[in-house]
Amino acid sequence: VGLVVAWLGDRFNRRNIIAVALALWSGMTALCGLATGFTSLFLARVGVGIGEAGGSPPSQSLISDYFPPEKRGTALSVFFLYIPLGFLVGYLVGGLVNEISNWRMAFYVVGLPGIALAVIVKLTVKEVPRGYSENKISQPNSASMLSTIKYFLTRRSLIHLPLAGAIYGIGAFGVSMWAPTFFMRVHEMPSGEVGIWMALAYGIGGSLGILSGGRLGDFLSKRFADVRWYTWIAVISILISMPLAIPVYLSGTPVVAFLFLFMSLFFSHMFLGPVLAMIQTMAGVNRRTQAAAFYLFLANLIAMSLGPLIIGMVSDHFHESLEALRYAILVLSIASALWAAIHFYLASKSLKEDLAAVKQT
Protein backbone atom coordinates (compact mmCIF):
# COMPACT_ATOMS: atom_id res chain seq x y z
CA VAL A 1 0.00 0.00 0.00
CA GLY A 2 2.90 2.33 0.68
CA LEU A 3 3.92 2.23 -2.97
CA VAL A 4 0.41 3.19 -4.08
CA VAL A 5 0.19 6.00 -1.52
CA ALA A 6 3.61 7.25 -2.63
CA TRP A 7 2.41 7.38 -6.23
CA LEU A 8 -0.44 9.58 -4.99
CA GLY A 9 1.90 11.59 -2.76
CA ASP A 10 4.04 12.72 -5.71
CA ARG A 11 0.90 13.95 -7.48
CA PHE A 12 -1.49 15.33 -4.87
CA ASN A 13 -1.58 17.25 -1.59
CA ARG A 14 0.76 15.47 0.82
CA ARG A 15 -0.63 17.18 3.93
CA ASN A 16 -4.10 15.77 3.26
CA ILE A 17 -2.70 12.27 2.69
CA ILE A 18 -0.82 12.42 6.00
CA ALA A 19 -3.94 13.57 7.88
CA VAL A 20 -6.13 10.79 6.45
CA ALA A 21 -3.45 8.18 7.10
CA LEU A 22 -3.00 9.33 10.70
CA ALA A 23 -6.73 9.11 11.38
CA LEU A 24 -6.87 5.64 9.82
CA TRP A 25 -3.98 4.03 11.67
CA SER A 26 -5.01 5.64 14.97
CA GLY A 27 -8.58 4.38 14.63
CA MET A 28 -7.42 0.89 13.66
CA THR A 29 -5.03 0.84 16.62
CA ALA A 30 -7.97 1.50 18.94
CA LEU A 31 -9.96 -1.24 17.18
CA CYS A 32 -7.21 -3.72 18.10
CA GLY A 33 -8.52 -3.39 21.65
CA LEU A 34 -11.91 -4.73 20.52
CA ALA A 35 -10.44 -7.90 19.00
CA THR A 36 -12.29 -11.13 19.83
CA GLY A 37 -9.67 -13.52 18.47
CA PHE A 38 -6.63 -13.92 16.24
CA THR A 39 -8.45 -13.10 12.97
CA SER A 40 -10.02 -9.86 14.17
CA LEU A 41 -6.78 -8.72 15.81
CA PHE A 42 -4.85 -9.60 12.65
CA LEU A 43 -7.27 -7.64 10.42
CA ALA A 44 -7.16 -4.61 12.71
CA ARG A 45 -3.37 -4.75 12.69
CA VAL A 46 -3.42 -4.89 8.87
CA GLY A 47 -5.54 -1.74 9.00
CA VAL A 48 -2.87 -0.08 11.14
CA GLY A 49 -0.25 -1.01 8.55
CA ILE A 50 -2.35 0.39 5.70
CA GLY A 51 -2.74 3.67 7.56
CA GLU A 52 0.95 3.88 8.45
CA ALA A 53 1.81 3.48 4.77
CA GLY A 54 0.58 7.01 4.22
CA GLY A 55 2.53 8.60 7.04
CA SER A 56 6.29 8.59 6.62
CA PRO A 57 6.86 8.81 2.82
CA PRO A 58 4.76 11.98 2.22
CA SER A 59 6.18 13.47 5.42
CA GLN A 60 9.77 12.96 4.29
CA SER A 61 8.95 14.48 0.91
CA LEU A 62 7.28 17.51 2.50
CA ILE A 63 10.14 18.09 4.95
CA SER A 64 12.64 17.87 2.08
CA ASP A 65 10.80 20.72 0.40
CA TYR A 66 10.97 22.71 3.66
CA PHE A 67 14.73 22.29 4.16
CA PRO A 68 17.65 22.47 1.66
CA PRO A 69 20.08 19.53 1.28
CA GLU A 70 22.70 20.97 3.64
CA LYS A 71 20.15 21.05 6.50
CA ARG A 72 18.14 18.00 5.52
CA GLY A 73 20.03 15.52 7.72
CA THR A 74 19.19 17.48 10.86
CA ALA A 75 15.61 18.12 9.76
CA LEU A 76 14.89 14.48 9.00
CA SER A 77 16.59 13.45 12.24
CA VAL A 78 14.07 15.56 14.13
CA PHE A 79 11.31 13.89 12.12
CA PHE A 80 12.64 10.39 12.79
CA LEU A 81 12.44 11.01 16.52
CA TYR A 82 9.02 9.44 16.04
CA ILE A 83 10.75 6.05 16.21
CA PRO A 84 12.44 6.27 19.66
CA LEU A 85 9.73 8.53 21.09
CA GLY A 86 7.15 6.09 19.80
CA PHE A 87 8.98 3.29 21.57
CA LEU A 88 9.15 5.44 24.70
CA VAL A 89 5.39 5.99 24.78
CA GLY A 90 4.62 2.45 23.59
CA TYR A 91 6.81 0.66 26.10
CA LEU A 92 6.01 3.00 29.00
CA VAL A 93 2.26 3.31 28.48
CA GLY A 94 1.84 -0.24 27.18
CA GLY A 95 3.71 -1.82 30.06
CA LEU A 96 2.07 0.27 32.79
CA VAL A 97 -1.48 0.14 31.40
CA ASN A 98 -1.18 -3.62 30.87
CA GLU A 99 -0.09 -4.02 34.48
CA ILE A 100 -2.69 -1.64 35.93
CA SER A 101 -5.61 -2.48 33.65
CA ASN A 102 -5.29 -4.77 30.60
CA TRP A 103 -3.87 -4.96 27.09
CA ARG A 104 -7.13 -3.77 25.48
CA MET A 105 -7.02 -0.47 27.35
CA ALA A 106 -3.42 0.05 26.16
CA PHE A 107 -4.64 0.05 22.54
CA TYR A 108 -7.36 2.62 23.32
CA VAL A 109 -4.96 4.92 25.17
CA VAL A 110 -2.36 5.07 22.38
CA GLY A 111 -4.83 4.96 19.47
CA LEU A 112 -7.67 7.40 20.06
CA PRO A 113 -5.60 10.62 20.55
CA GLY A 114 -4.25 10.23 17.01
CA ILE A 115 -7.67 10.93 15.53
CA ALA A 116 -7.69 14.38 17.13
CA LEU A 117 -4.10 14.93 16.01
CA ALA A 118 -5.13 14.20 12.41
CA VAL A 119 -7.47 17.18 12.53
CA ILE A 120 -4.65 19.38 13.85
CA VAL A 121 -2.38 18.24 10.99
CA LYS A 122 -5.05 19.13 8.45
CA LEU A 123 -5.56 22.60 9.93
CA THR A 124 -1.95 23.61 10.65
CA VAL A 125 0.55 21.90 8.31
CA LYS A 126 1.40 23.87 5.17
CA GLU A 127 1.78 22.18 1.79
CA VAL A 128 4.71 23.83 -0.04
CA PRO A 129 5.56 23.49 -3.75
CA ARG A 130 7.79 20.60 -4.77
CA GLY A 131 11.39 21.74 -5.05
CA TYR A 132 10.75 24.82 -2.89
CA SER A 133 13.86 24.40 -0.70
CA GLU A 134 16.15 24.08 -3.73
CA ASN A 135 14.54 26.81 -5.84
CA LYS A 136 13.46 24.18 -8.37
CA ILE A 137 9.71 24.61 -8.29
CA SER A 138 8.19 21.68 -10.13
CA GLN A 139 4.76 20.44 -11.04
CA PRO A 140 3.56 17.17 -9.47
CA ASN A 141 5.26 14.11 -10.85
CA SER A 142 3.77 12.02 -13.64
CA ALA A 143 6.38 9.24 -13.54
CA SER A 144 5.26 5.72 -12.67
CA MET A 145 6.54 3.67 -9.75
CA LEU A 146 8.18 1.36 -12.26
CA SER A 147 10.22 4.24 -13.66
CA THR A 148 11.21 5.22 -10.12
CA ILE A 149 12.42 1.69 -9.39
CA LYS A 150 14.42 1.76 -12.64
CA TYR A 151 15.82 5.12 -11.50
CA PHE A 152 17.05 3.44 -8.31
CA LEU A 153 18.54 0.48 -10.12
CA THR A 154 20.67 2.70 -12.38
CA ARG A 155 22.43 4.26 -9.37
CA ARG A 156 24.53 1.91 -7.28
CA SER A 157 24.33 3.97 -4.10
CA LEU A 158 20.52 3.95 -4.31
CA ILE A 159 20.63 0.17 -4.47
CA HIS A 160 22.91 -0.24 -1.46
CA LEU A 161 21.27 2.36 0.83
CA PRO A 162 17.78 0.74 0.97
CA LEU A 163 19.32 -2.73 1.17
CA ALA A 164 21.50 -1.63 4.08
CA GLY A 165 18.53 -0.16 5.95
CA ALA A 166 16.40 -3.24 5.36
CA ILE A 167 19.13 -5.67 6.41
CA TYR A 168 19.97 -3.66 9.51
CA GLY A 169 16.28 -3.62 10.38
CA ILE A 170 16.17 -7.43 10.58
CA GLY A 171 18.12 -7.33 13.81
CA ALA A 172 16.71 -4.00 14.99
CA PHE A 173 13.06 -5.01 14.67
CA GLY A 174 13.82 -8.42 16.12
CA VAL A 175 15.39 -6.80 19.17
CA SER A 176 12.59 -4.26 19.64
CA MET A 177 9.95 -7.01 19.57
CA TRP A 178 11.77 -9.62 21.68
CA ALA A 179 13.87 -7.61 24.15
CA PRO A 180 10.94 -7.05 26.55
CA THR A 181 10.24 -10.81 26.55
CA PHE A 182 13.94 -11.46 27.13
CA PHE A 183 14.06 -9.26 30.23
CA MET A 184 10.81 -10.68 31.61
CA ARG A 185 11.91 -14.30 31.09
CA VAL A 186 15.63 -14.16 31.82
CA HIS A 187 15.70 -11.48 34.51
CA GLU A 188 12.16 -12.21 35.79
CA MET A 189 11.13 -8.55 35.66
CA PRO A 190 7.44 -7.45 35.65
CA SER A 191 6.07 -5.91 32.44
CA GLY A 192 5.65 -2.45 33.97
CA GLU A 193 9.28 -2.27 35.11
CA VAL A 194 10.53 -3.56 31.75
CA GLY A 195 8.38 -0.96 30.02
CA ILE A 196 9.97 1.86 31.99
CA TRP A 197 13.55 0.69 31.32
CA MET A 198 12.87 0.06 27.62
CA ALA A 199 11.21 3.47 27.33
CA LEU A 200 14.28 5.18 28.78
CA ALA A 201 16.72 3.20 26.63
CA TYR A 202 14.86 3.69 23.35
CA GLY A 203 13.32 7.09 24.09
CA ILE A 204 16.41 8.87 25.40
CA GLY A 205 19.24 6.82 23.93
CA GLY A 206 17.61 6.47 20.52
CA SER A 207 16.54 10.13 20.37
CA LEU A 208 20.00 11.45 21.25
CA GLY A 209 21.53 9.11 18.69
CA ILE A 210 19.22 10.18 15.87
CA LEU A 211 19.73 13.89 16.57
CA SER A 212 23.50 13.47 16.84
CA GLY A 213 23.70 11.53 13.59
CA GLY A 214 21.74 14.05 11.56
CA ARG A 215 23.64 17.01 12.96
CA LEU A 216 27.01 15.31 12.40
CA GLY A 217 26.06 14.39 8.84
CA ASP A 218 25.23 17.98 7.95
CA PHE A 219 28.26 19.38 9.78
CA LEU A 220 30.94 16.99 8.52
CA SER A 221 29.72 16.92 4.93
CA LYS A 222 29.84 20.74 4.88
CA ARG A 223 33.09 20.98 6.85
CA PHE A 224 34.98 18.64 4.51
CA ALA A 225 32.88 19.31 1.40
CA ASP A 226 32.25 15.60 1.03
CA VAL A 227 28.74 14.11 0.96
CA ARG A 228 30.15 10.66 1.67
CA TRP A 229 30.17 11.58 5.36
CA TYR A 230 26.42 10.86 5.34
CA THR A 231 27.18 7.19 4.71
CA TRP A 232 30.48 7.03 6.61
CA ILE A 233 28.66 8.09 9.77
CA ALA A 234 26.31 5.15 9.26
CA VAL A 235 29.22 2.72 8.94
CA ILE A 236 31.14 4.07 11.95
CA SER A 237 28.15 4.31 14.29
CA ILE A 238 26.87 0.81 13.49
CA LEU A 239 30.32 -0.73 14.00
CA ILE A 240 30.61 0.99 17.39
CA SER A 241 27.17 -0.26 18.43
CA MET A 242 28.00 -3.92 17.77
CA PRO A 243 30.35 -4.68 20.72
CA LEU A 244 28.11 -2.61 23.00
CA ALA A 245 25.23 -5.00 22.29
CA ILE A 246 27.07 -8.05 23.66
CA PRO A 247 26.76 -7.24 27.42
CA VAL A 248 23.05 -6.50 26.95
CA TYR A 249 22.31 -10.19 26.55
CA LEU A 250 25.25 -11.79 28.39
CA SER A 251 25.19 -9.70 31.55
CA GLY A 252 23.80 -11.33 34.68
CA THR A 253 22.23 -8.14 36.05
CA PRO A 254 19.48 -6.08 34.38
CA VAL A 255 21.00 -2.72 35.38
CA VAL A 256 24.22 -3.45 33.47
CA ALA A 257 22.22 -4.86 30.55
CA PHE A 258 20.06 -1.75 30.26
CA LEU A 259 23.07 0.55 30.57
CA PHE A 260 24.70 -1.10 27.56
CA LEU A 261 21.37 -1.20 25.73
CA PHE A 262 21.16 2.58 26.14
CA MET A 263 24.65 3.06 24.68
CA SER A 264 24.07 0.57 21.88
CA LEU A 265 20.81 2.23 20.85
CA PHE A 266 22.48 5.66 20.86
CA PHE A 267 24.98 4.62 18.19
CA SER A 268 22.67 2.28 16.26
CA HIS A 269 20.13 5.08 15.66
CA MET A 270 22.65 7.60 14.31
CA PHE A 271 22.41 6.45 10.69
CA LEU A 272 18.72 7.28 10.17
CA GLY A 273 18.88 11.03 9.55
CA PRO A 274 21.95 11.10 7.27
CA VAL A 275 20.93 8.09 5.17
CA LEU A 276 17.30 9.07 4.68
CA ALA A 277 18.35 12.63 3.89
CA MET A 278 20.72 11.38 1.21
CA ILE A 279 18.01 9.21 -0.33
CA GLN A 280 15.69 12.23 -0.50
CA THR A 281 18.38 14.37 -2.10
CA MET A 282 19.28 11.73 -4.66
CA ALA A 283 15.65 11.03 -5.51
CA GLY A 284 15.33 14.45 -7.12
CA VAL A 285 12.40 16.83 -6.77
CA ASN A 286 9.69 14.66 -8.32
CA ARG A 287 10.36 11.24 -6.81
CA ARG A 288 10.78 11.95 -3.13
CA THR A 289 7.63 10.31 -1.81
CA GLN A 290 8.12 7.24 -3.97
CA ALA A 291 11.80 7.01 -2.97
CA ALA A 292 10.89 7.07 0.72
CA ALA A 293 8.17 4.48 0.15
CA PHE A 294 10.53 2.21 -1.77
CA TYR A 295 12.98 2.32 1.15
CA LEU A 296 10.21 1.54 3.64
CA PHE A 297 8.83 -1.18 1.37
CA LEU A 298 12.12 -3.05 1.60
CA ALA A 299 12.37 -2.38 5.34
CA ASN A 300 8.86 -3.71 5.96
CA LEU A 301 9.16 -6.66 3.60
CA ILE A 302 12.58 -7.79 4.82
CA ALA A 303 13.12 -6.36 8.30
CA MET A 304 9.70 -6.51 9.93
CA SER A 305 8.90 -9.83 8.31
CA LEU A 306 12.12 -11.68 9.07
CA GLY A 307 13.54 -10.19 12.28
CA PRO A 308 10.90 -11.11 14.87
CA LEU A 309 10.09 -14.33 13.01
CA ILE A 310 13.67 -15.66 13.04
CA ILE A 311 14.08 -15.08 16.78
CA GLY A 312 10.69 -16.65 17.50
CA MET A 313 11.43 -19.72 15.37
CA VAL A 314 14.82 -20.27 17.05
CA SER A 315 13.24 -19.92 20.48
CA ASP A 316 10.47 -22.39 19.56
CA HIS A 317 12.94 -24.85 18.07
CA PHE A 318 14.81 -25.05 21.34
CA HIS A 319 11.55 -25.25 23.32
CA GLU A 320 11.66 -21.61 24.44
CA SER A 321 15.01 -22.09 26.16
CA LEU A 322 16.26 -18.95 27.86
CA GLU A 323 19.70 -19.49 26.35
CA ALA A 324 18.20 -19.91 22.87
CA LEU A 325 16.36 -16.59 23.17
CA ARG A 326 19.48 -14.88 24.50
CA TYR A 327 21.77 -15.99 21.68
CA ALA A 328 19.14 -15.72 18.93
CA ILE A 329 18.70 -12.01 19.67
CA LEU A 330 22.43 -11.38 20.07
CA VAL A 331 23.64 -13.23 16.96
CA LEU A 332 20.91 -11.85 14.71
CA SER A 333 21.43 -8.24 15.80
CA ILE A 334 25.23 -8.33 15.33
CA ALA A 335 25.14 -10.26 12.04
CA SER A 336 22.56 -7.93 10.47
CA ALA A 337 24.45 -4.84 11.69
CA LEU A 338 27.73 -6.01 10.16
CA TRP A 339 26.04 -6.92 6.87
CA ALA A 340 24.32 -3.52 6.75
CA ALA A 341 27.59 -1.67 7.44
CA ILE A 342 29.11 -3.35 4.38
CA HIS A 343 26.28 -2.08 2.17
CA PHE A 344 26.53 1.44 3.62
CA TYR A 345 30.24 1.43 2.79
CA LEU A 346 29.56 0.19 -0.75
CA ALA A 347 27.02 3.00 -1.16
CA SER A 348 29.70 5.56 -0.33
CA LYS A 349 31.90 4.32 -3.18
CA SER A 350 29.59 5.68 -5.89
CA LEU A 351 27.77 8.39 -3.94
CA LYS A 352 29.52 11.39 -5.49
CA GLU A 353 29.11 10.09 -9.02
CA ASP A 354 25.44 9.26 -8.53
CA LEU A 355 24.67 12.60 -6.89
CA ALA A 356 26.34 14.48 -9.75
CA ALA A 357 24.11 12.61 -12.20
CA VAL A 358 21.03 13.64 -10.23
CA LYS A 359 22.00 17.32 -10.32
CA GLN A 360 22.26 17.20 -14.09
CA THR A 361 18.67 15.97 -14.50
Side-chain angles (χ1 to χ4, degrees), residues 33 93-94 97-98 100-112:
V93 175
V97 173
N98 177 63
I100 295 171
S101 180
N102 55 61
W103 63 268
R104 295 182 184 276
M105 183 58 67
F107 279 114
Y108 305 147
V109 169
V110 300
L112 292 176

Side-chain angles (χ1 to χ4, degrees), residues 228-242:
R228 290 176 296 180
W229 274 104
Y230 283 105
T231 48
W232 289 340
I233 285 174
V235 175
I236 295 169
S237 61
I238 288 176
L239 291 179
I240 292 175
S241 73
M242 289 168 55

Side-chain angles (χ1 to χ4, degrees), residues 10 141 143 147-148 151-152 280 283-292:
D10 279 333
N141 186 24
S147 69
T148 299
Y151 179 87
F152 266 69
Q280 285 292 294
V285 172
N286 288 318
R287 295 185 177 90
R288 283 177 176 155
T289 310
Q290 294 181 80

Side-chain angles (χ1 to χ4, degrees), residues 169-175 178 302-312 332:
I170 294 175
F173 280 112
V175 169
W178 280 101
I302 297 175
M304 288 188 180
S305 298
L306 294 179
L309 179 63
I310 291 173
I311 294 174
L332 182 64

Side-chain angles (χ1 to χ4, degrees), residues 103-126:
W103 63 268
R104 295 182 184 276
M105 183 58 67
F107 279 114
Y108 305 147
V109 169
V110 300
L112 292 176
I115 298 176
L117 185 59
V119 177
I120 296 175
V121 169
K122 168 66 176 176
L123 296 177
T124 62
V125 174
K126 182 179 179 181

Side-chain angles (χ1 to χ4, degrees), residues 109-272:
V109 169
V110 300
L112 292 176
I115 298 176
L117 185 59
V119 177
I120 296 175
V121 169
K122 168 66 176 176
L123 296 177
T124 62
V125 174
K126 182 179 179 181
E127 174 79 11
V128 295
R130 288 161 176 81
Y132 181 80
S133 65
E134 294 156 302
N135 294 318
K136 294 181 180 180
I137 304 300
S138 174
Q139 295 300 314
N141 186 24
S142 59
S144 65
M145 175 55 73
L146 182 59
S147 69
T148 299
I149 294 176
K150 290 181 179 178
Y151 179 87
F152 266 69
L153 295 178
T154 57
R155 290 162 173 80
R156 284 175 293 173
S157 59
L158 278 179
I159 296 174
H160 288 294
L161 289 176
L163 276 177
I167 291 169
Y168 180 77
I170 294 175
F173 280 112
V175 169
S176 68
M177 296 293 272
W178 280 101
T181 303
F182 167 80
F183 283 106
M184 286 188 283
R185 286 185 187 174
V186 174
H187 295 287
E188 300 180 344
M189 300 172 65
S191 64
E193 185 178 352
V194 172
I196 293 173
W197 281 104
M198 294 294 291
L200 293 174
Y202 272 89
I204 299 178
S207 295
L208 292 175
I210 288 179
L211 289 174
S212 300
R215 188 70 188 93
L216 274 174
D218 288 341
F219 173 77
L220 293 175
S221 62
K222 182 178 180 180
R223 173 68 175 80
F224 297 102
D226 194 336
V227 294
R228 290 176 296 180
W229 274 104
Y230 283 105
T231 48
W232 289 340
I233 285 174
V235 175
I236 295 169
S237 61
I238 288 176
L239 291 179
I240 292 175
S241 73
M242 289 168 55
L244 293 174
I246 296 175
V248 176
Y249 305 103
L250 299 186
S251 172
T253 59
V255 174
V256 174
F258 276 112
L259 176 63
F260 278 94
L261 179 63
F262 179 97
M263 293 188 289
S264 175
L265 290 172
F266 172 85
F267 287 103
S268 66
H269 279 70
M270 287 183 69
F271 79 92
L272 277 167

